[in-house]
Short mmCIF file of all heavy atoms in Angstrom, two decimals:
data_model
loop_
_atom_site.label_atom_id
_atom_site.label_comp_id
_atom_site.label_asym_id
_atom_site.label_seq_id
_atom_site.Cartn_x
_atom_site.Cartn_y
_atom_site.Cartn_z
N ILE A 1 8.87 29.48 72.23
CA ILE A 1 8.30 30.26 71.14
C ILE A 1 7.52 31.39 71.78
O ILE A 1 6.53 31.15 72.49
CB ILE A 1 7.35 29.41 70.26
CG1 ILE A 1 8.05 28.15 69.78
CG2 ILE A 1 6.81 30.24 69.11
CD1 ILE A 1 7.12 27.03 69.39
N ARG A 2 7.95 32.62 71.55
CA ARG A 2 7.30 33.76 72.19
C ARG A 2 6.77 34.71 71.11
O ARG A 2 7.54 35.24 70.32
CB ARG A 2 8.27 34.49 73.11
CG ARG A 2 7.59 35.61 73.85
CD ARG A 2 8.40 36.07 75.02
NE ARG A 2 7.64 37.06 75.77
CZ ARG A 2 8.08 37.64 76.85
NH1 ARG A 2 9.26 37.34 77.33
NH2 ARG A 2 7.35 38.54 77.47
N LEU A 3 5.46 34.90 71.10
CA LEU A 3 4.79 35.79 70.15
C LEU A 3 4.40 37.07 70.85
O LEU A 3 3.68 37.04 71.85
CB LEU A 3 3.55 35.10 69.57
CG LEU A 3 2.59 35.96 68.76
CD1 LEU A 3 3.26 36.51 67.50
CD2 LEU A 3 1.34 35.16 68.40
N LEU A 4 4.86 38.20 70.33
CA LEU A 4 4.42 39.51 70.79
C LEU A 4 3.58 40.08 69.67
O LEU A 4 4.07 40.30 68.56
CB LEU A 4 5.62 40.42 71.10
CG LEU A 4 6.30 40.01 72.40
CD1 LEU A 4 7.42 39.05 72.12
CD2 LEU A 4 6.75 41.20 73.16
N TYR A 5 2.29 40.27 69.97
CA TYR A 5 1.32 40.62 68.94
C TYR A 5 0.79 42.02 69.23
O TYR A 5 0.10 42.25 70.22
CB TYR A 5 0.21 39.57 68.94
CG TYR A 5 -0.79 39.68 67.83
CD1 TYR A 5 -0.53 40.38 66.66
CD2 TYR A 5 -2.02 39.06 67.94
CE1 TYR A 5 -1.46 40.46 65.65
CE2 TYR A 5 -2.96 39.13 66.94
CZ TYR A 5 -2.67 39.84 65.79
OH TYR A 5 -3.60 39.92 64.79
N PHE A 6 1.12 42.97 68.36
CA PHE A 6 0.79 44.38 68.51
C PHE A 6 -0.46 44.74 67.71
O PHE A 6 -0.57 44.40 66.53
CB PHE A 6 1.95 45.25 68.02
CG PHE A 6 3.20 45.09 68.82
CD1 PHE A 6 4.06 44.03 68.58
CD2 PHE A 6 3.53 46.00 69.80
CE1 PHE A 6 5.23 43.87 69.33
CE2 PHE A 6 4.69 45.86 70.55
CZ PHE A 6 5.54 44.79 70.30
N ASN A 7 -1.39 45.44 68.37
CA ASN A 7 -2.60 45.93 67.73
C ASN A 7 -3.00 47.26 68.37
O ASN A 7 -2.48 47.62 69.42
CB ASN A 7 -3.75 44.92 67.89
CG ASN A 7 -3.59 43.74 66.97
OD1 ASN A 7 -3.84 43.83 65.78
ND2 ASN A 7 -3.14 42.62 67.51
N LYS A 8 -3.93 47.95 67.74
CA LYS A 8 -4.41 49.21 68.32
C LYS A 8 -5.35 48.92 69.49
O LYS A 8 -5.15 49.40 70.60
CB LYS A 8 -5.12 50.06 67.27
CG LYS A 8 -4.19 50.70 66.29
CD LYS A 8 -4.93 51.59 65.32
CE LYS A 8 -3.95 52.20 64.34
NZ LYS A 8 -4.61 53.07 63.37
N THR A 9 -6.41 48.17 69.23
CA THR A 9 -7.42 47.89 70.26
C THR A 9 -7.63 46.38 70.37
O THR A 9 -7.20 45.62 69.50
CB THR A 9 -8.77 48.55 69.91
OG1 THR A 9 -9.30 47.91 68.74
CG2 THR A 9 -8.62 50.05 69.66
N ARG A 10 -8.33 45.99 71.39
CA ARG A 10 -8.58 44.56 71.60
C ARG A 10 -9.40 43.97 70.46
O ARG A 10 -9.18 42.83 70.05
CB ARG A 10 -9.30 44.35 72.93
CG ARG A 10 -9.39 42.89 73.29
CD ARG A 10 -9.80 42.68 74.70
NE ARG A 10 -9.44 41.33 75.08
CZ ARG A 10 -9.51 40.89 76.30
NH1 ARG A 10 -9.91 41.68 77.27
NH2 ARG A 10 -9.19 39.64 76.59
N LYS A 11 -10.32 44.74 69.91
CA LYS A 11 -11.14 44.20 68.81
C LYS A 11 -10.32 43.95 67.54
O LYS A 11 -10.74 43.21 66.66
CB LYS A 11 -12.34 45.11 68.51
CG LYS A 11 -12.02 46.41 67.83
CD LYS A 11 -13.30 47.18 67.50
CE LYS A 11 -13.02 48.48 66.81
NZ LYS A 11 -12.48 48.35 65.47
N ASP A 12 -9.12 44.52 67.48
CA ASP A 12 -8.25 44.31 66.33
C ASP A 12 -7.44 43.01 66.42
O ASP A 12 -6.83 42.60 65.44
CB ASP A 12 -7.27 45.48 66.18
CG ASP A 12 -7.98 46.79 65.92
OD1 ASP A 12 -8.97 46.79 65.18
OD2 ASP A 12 -7.53 47.83 66.45
N ILE A 13 -7.44 42.37 67.58
CA ILE A 13 -6.64 41.15 67.76
C ILE A 13 -7.31 40.00 67.00
O ILE A 13 -8.43 39.62 67.29
CB ILE A 13 -6.51 40.78 69.25
CG1 ILE A 13 -5.83 41.91 70.02
CG2 ILE A 13 -5.72 39.48 69.39
CD1 ILE A 13 -5.82 41.70 71.53
N ILE A 14 -6.60 39.48 66.04
CA ILE A 14 -7.10 38.36 65.23
C ILE A 14 -6.81 37.06 65.98
O ILE A 14 -5.69 36.83 66.42
CB ILE A 14 -6.42 38.35 63.84
CG1 ILE A 14 -6.75 39.65 63.09
CG2 ILE A 14 -6.83 37.12 63.04
CD1 ILE A 14 -5.93 39.86 61.83
N LEU A 15 -7.83 36.22 66.15
CA LEU A 15 -7.71 34.91 66.78
C LEU A 15 -7.19 34.96 68.22
O LEU A 15 -6.46 34.07 68.66
CB LEU A 15 -6.82 33.98 65.94
CG LEU A 15 -7.32 33.68 64.53
CD1 LEU A 15 -6.28 32.90 63.75
CD2 LEU A 15 -8.64 32.92 64.58
N GLU A 16 -7.57 35.99 68.96
CA GLU A 16 -7.11 36.13 70.35
C GLU A 16 -7.40 34.88 71.18
O GLU A 16 -6.52 34.36 71.86
CB GLU A 16 -7.75 37.35 71.01
CG GLU A 16 -7.34 37.53 72.45
CD GLU A 16 -8.02 38.70 73.14
OE1 GLU A 16 -8.98 39.28 72.58
OE2 GLU A 16 -7.58 39.04 74.25
N ASP A 17 -8.64 34.39 71.13
CA ASP A 17 -9.01 33.22 71.94
C ASP A 17 -8.18 31.99 71.57
O ASP A 17 -7.73 31.25 72.44
CB ASP A 17 -10.50 32.91 71.80
CG ASP A 17 -11.37 33.98 72.43
OD1 ASP A 17 -10.87 34.75 73.28
OD2 ASP A 17 -12.56 34.06 72.07
N LYS A 18 -8.00 31.76 70.27
CA LYS A 18 -7.24 30.59 69.84
C LYS A 18 -5.77 30.68 70.24
O LYS A 18 -5.18 29.71 70.67
CB LYS A 18 -7.36 30.39 68.33
CG LYS A 18 -8.74 29.94 67.91
CD LYS A 18 -8.78 29.54 66.46
CE LYS A 18 -10.16 29.18 66.02
NZ LYS A 18 -10.58 27.86 66.35
N LEU A 19 -5.19 31.88 70.13
CA LEU A 19 -3.80 32.06 70.54
C LEU A 19 -3.64 31.85 72.05
O LEU A 19 -2.70 31.19 72.50
CB LEU A 19 -3.30 33.45 70.14
CG LEU A 19 -3.12 33.68 68.64
CD1 LEU A 19 -2.91 35.16 68.34
CD2 LEU A 19 -1.96 32.85 68.10
N ASP A 20 -4.56 32.43 72.81
CA ASP A 20 -4.50 32.27 74.27
C ASP A 20 -4.71 30.82 74.67
O ASP A 20 -4.06 30.32 75.60
CB ASP A 20 -5.54 33.17 74.94
CG ASP A 20 -5.21 34.64 74.80
OD1 ASP A 20 -4.06 34.99 74.44
OD2 ASP A 20 -6.11 35.48 75.03
N GLN A 21 -5.61 30.13 73.98
CA GLN A 21 -5.85 28.72 74.29
C GLN A 21 -4.60 27.89 73.97
O GLN A 21 -4.20 27.03 74.76
CB GLN A 21 -7.03 28.19 73.49
CG GLN A 21 -7.32 26.72 73.75
CD GLN A 21 -8.51 26.21 72.96
OE1 GLN A 21 -9.25 26.96 72.34
NE2 GLN A 21 -8.70 24.91 72.99
N LEU A 22 -3.98 28.16 72.84
CA LEU A 22 -2.76 27.44 72.48
C LEU A 22 -1.67 27.66 73.52
O LEU A 22 -0.98 26.72 73.93
CB LEU A 22 -2.26 27.88 71.10
CG LEU A 22 -1.01 27.20 70.59
CD1 LEU A 22 -1.21 25.69 70.47
CD2 LEU A 22 -0.59 27.80 69.25
N ALA A 23 -1.54 28.90 74.01
CA ALA A 23 -0.55 29.20 75.04
C ALA A 23 -0.84 28.45 76.34
O ALA A 23 0.08 28.03 77.04
CB ALA A 23 -0.49 30.70 75.29
N SER A 24 -2.12 28.26 76.65
CA SER A 24 -2.46 27.54 77.88
C SER A 24 -2.25 26.03 77.73
O SER A 24 -2.02 25.34 78.72
CB SER A 24 -3.90 27.84 78.31
OG SER A 24 -4.82 27.24 77.44
N GLU A 25 -2.31 25.53 76.51
CA GLU A 25 -2.17 24.09 76.27
C GLU A 25 -0.73 23.67 75.94
O GLU A 25 -0.38 22.52 76.14
CB GLU A 25 -3.07 23.67 75.11
CG GLU A 25 -4.55 23.81 75.42
CD GLU A 25 -5.43 23.59 74.20
OE1 GLU A 25 -4.90 23.46 73.07
OE2 GLU A 25 -6.65 23.56 74.39
N GLU A 26 0.05 24.58 75.42
CA GLU A 26 1.40 24.25 74.95
C GLU A 26 2.43 25.04 75.76
O GLU A 26 2.53 26.25 75.63
CB GLU A 26 1.52 24.57 73.46
CG GLU A 26 2.89 24.38 72.86
CD GLU A 26 3.47 23.00 73.07
OE1 GLU A 26 2.93 22.01 72.54
OE2 GLU A 26 4.50 22.92 73.79
N SER A 27 3.18 24.35 76.60
CA SER A 27 4.10 25.02 77.52
C SER A 27 5.25 25.75 76.82
O SER A 27 5.84 26.66 77.39
CB SER A 27 4.68 24.01 78.52
OG SER A 27 5.44 23.04 77.83
N ARG A 28 5.56 25.39 75.59
CA ARG A 28 6.65 26.06 74.88
C ARG A 28 6.21 27.36 74.21
O ARG A 28 7.04 28.15 73.78
CB ARG A 28 7.25 25.15 73.81
CG ARG A 28 7.90 23.91 74.41
CD ARG A 28 8.53 23.05 73.33
NE ARG A 28 7.54 22.60 72.36
CZ ARG A 28 7.80 22.36 71.07
NH1 ARG A 28 9.00 22.53 70.59
NH2 ARG A 28 6.85 21.94 70.26
N PHE A 29 4.90 27.58 74.12
CA PHE A 29 4.37 28.74 73.40
C PHE A 29 3.82 29.77 74.38
O PHE A 29 3.06 29.45 75.29
CB PHE A 29 3.26 28.31 72.44
CG PHE A 29 2.63 29.45 71.70
CD1 PHE A 29 3.33 30.18 70.76
CD2 PHE A 29 1.31 29.80 71.95
CE1 PHE A 29 2.74 31.23 70.08
CE2 PHE A 29 0.71 30.86 71.27
CZ PHE A 29 1.42 31.57 70.34
N TYR A 30 4.23 31.01 74.18
CA TYR A 30 3.77 32.13 75.01
C TYR A 30 3.33 33.25 74.07
O TYR A 30 4.00 33.55 73.08
CB TYR A 30 4.93 32.61 75.90
CG TYR A 30 4.61 33.83 76.70
CD1 TYR A 30 3.91 33.75 77.90
CD2 TYR A 30 5.00 35.09 76.25
CE1 TYR A 30 3.61 34.88 78.63
CE2 TYR A 30 4.70 36.22 76.98
CZ TYR A 30 4.00 36.12 78.17
OH TYR A 30 3.70 37.23 78.89
N VAL A 31 2.19 33.86 74.36
CA VAL A 31 1.71 34.99 73.56
C VAL A 31 1.45 36.18 74.49
O VAL A 31 0.94 36.01 75.60
CB VAL A 31 0.43 34.64 72.75
CG1 VAL A 31 -0.73 34.27 73.64
CG2 VAL A 31 0.05 35.78 71.81
N GLU A 32 1.82 37.35 74.01
CA GLU A 32 1.51 38.58 74.73
C GLU A 32 0.90 39.56 73.75
O GLU A 32 1.48 39.84 72.70
CB GLU A 32 2.76 39.19 75.37
CG GLU A 32 2.45 40.43 76.17
CD GLU A 32 3.64 40.97 76.95
OE1 GLU A 32 4.76 40.46 76.78
OE2 GLU A 32 3.43 41.92 77.71
N HIS A 33 -0.29 40.05 74.09
CA HIS A 33 -0.98 41.03 73.26
C HIS A 33 -0.61 42.41 73.79
O HIS A 33 -0.71 42.68 74.98
CB HIS A 33 -2.49 40.84 73.34
CG HIS A 33 -2.91 39.45 72.98
ND1 HIS A 33 -2.89 38.97 71.68
CD2 HIS A 33 -3.35 38.41 73.73
CE1 HIS A 33 -3.31 37.72 71.66
NE2 HIS A 33 -3.59 37.36 72.89
N ILE A 34 -0.18 43.29 72.88
CA ILE A 34 0.24 44.64 73.25
C ILE A 34 -0.59 45.62 72.45
O ILE A 34 -0.61 45.56 71.21
CB ILE A 34 1.74 44.83 72.98
CG1 ILE A 34 2.54 43.77 73.75
CG2 ILE A 34 2.18 46.25 73.35
CD1 ILE A 34 4.00 43.70 73.38
N LEU A 35 -1.30 46.50 73.16
CA LEU A 35 -2.23 47.43 72.51
C LEU A 35 -1.74 48.88 72.61
O LEU A 35 -1.31 49.31 73.67
CB LEU A 35 -3.62 47.32 73.13
CG LEU A 35 -4.27 45.94 73.08
CD1 LEU A 35 -5.65 45.98 73.72
CD2 LEU A 35 -4.34 45.42 71.65
N SER A 36 -1.85 49.60 71.50
CA SER A 36 -1.44 51.01 71.50
C SER A 36 -2.59 51.94 71.87
O SER A 36 -2.35 53.06 72.31
CB SER A 36 -0.88 51.40 70.13
OG SER A 36 -1.85 51.23 69.12
N GLU A 37 -3.83 51.49 71.71
CA GLU A 37 -5.00 52.31 72.06
C GLU A 37 -6.00 51.46 72.85
O GLU A 37 -7.15 51.27 72.41
CB GLU A 37 -5.65 52.87 70.79
CG GLU A 37 -4.73 53.78 69.99
CD GLU A 37 -5.34 54.23 68.66
OE1 GLU A 37 -6.56 54.05 68.45
OE2 GLU A 37 -4.57 54.75 67.84
N PRO A 38 -5.59 50.94 74.01
CA PRO A 38 -6.48 50.04 74.75
C PRO A 38 -7.58 50.79 75.49
O PRO A 38 -7.46 51.99 75.74
CB PRO A 38 -5.53 49.39 75.75
CG PRO A 38 -4.50 50.44 76.01
CD PRO A 38 -4.32 51.14 74.68
#
């Protein structure tokens, strides 16, 4: 399961910590945050 999550800035990322934690705990889940105005 691969989630590509697009936002303008880091502060716009909803639930960043929870998504990253889930990715570290669940080997089938991968998340990548992609920012247009980082």
Side-chain angles (χ1 to χ4, degrees):
I1 306 158
R2 184 163 185 180
L3 169 63
L4 286 93
Y5 187 20
F6 296 82
N7 284 284
K8 287 183 180 180
T9 67
R10 189 167 199 171
K11 72 176 180 68
D12 297 322
I13 300 173
I14 299 169
L15 299 173
E16 178 182 12
D17 292 340
K18 289 189 184 279
L19 290 168
D20 292 344
Q21 180 180 351
L22 181 60
S24 71
E25 294 171 353
E26 175 54 66
S27 63
R28 296 182 300 149
F29 178 68
Y30 175 82
V31 62
E32 183 173 6
H33 305 287
I34 303 170
L35 302 180
S36 61
E37 299 175 13

